[in-house]
Amino acid sequence: QVQLVESGGGLVQPGGSLRLSCAASGRIFSPNVMGWYRQAPGKQRELVATKSSGESTNYADSVKGRFTISRDKPKNTVYLQMNSLKPEDTAVYYCTLRSSGSGNNYWGQGTQVTVSS
C-alpha cells in the first residue's frame, strides 16, 4: 500500500502564510492524483486543492488566488503554499493520493492549521 505523512501545520496570524508538505511512500502507480482536503470542527471534509500526475489542478473557490499546490514527482511529494490566511481556514488538513487505474484512495494522518490573533 501507500503511506502519506504530512508536515508544516501550526499556528499563524490572519494574513500570514504556511507551507504544508506531504511525502508518499510505498508502491505508487501512475497516473494518480495527489492533493489536500480539510475538515473544520462541526463541518464536512472538503476539497482544498488537487494536482494530477499530468499536471492538471483543481482548487476550491474559497482558496483560489491564495493557495498554490505543487508536486515534486521524483520525490513523491506534494506541497500546499497557503498565503493570506483567514480564520475560516482553520482546520485539520489531510493529504490524499488516488490511483487513477485502480481507484484506490490513501490518506495521511492530518496536520492542524490554526489561524488566529
Side-chain angles (χ1 to χ4, degrees), residues 22-85:
C22 173
S25 61
R27 192 47 49 189
I28 302 166
F29 296 95
S30 295
N32 59 61
V33 178
M34 293 189 72
W36 298 90
Y37 285 68
R38 67 186 181 187
Q39 188 165 26
K43 301 187 71 175
Q44 293 181 306
R45 187 174 297 188
E46 64 178 354
L47 180 146
V48 178
T50 61
K51 192 174 184 70
S52 72
S53 52
E55 303 298 329
S56 177
T57 59
N58 185 37
Y59 293 94
D61 288 341
S62 59
V63 307
K64 285 181 179 177
R66 300 188 297 121
F67 292 9
T68 302
I69 188 169
S70 60
R71 289 181 65 165
D72 186 336
K73 289 178 227 174
K75 295 182 179 179
N76 291 318
T77 300
V78 64
Y79 305 93
L80 186 68
Q81 179 65 47
M82 305 185 294
N83 298 327
S84 301
L85 283 161

Side-chain angles (χ1 to χ4, degrees), residues 5-34:
V5 179
E6 304 106 325
S7 63
L11 175 64
V12 65
Q13 292 187 350
S17 298
L18 284 174
R19 190 190 190 210
L20 306 183
S21 299
C22 173
S25 61
R27 192 47 49 189
I28 302 166
F29 296 95
S30 295
N32 59 61
V33 178
M34 293 189 72

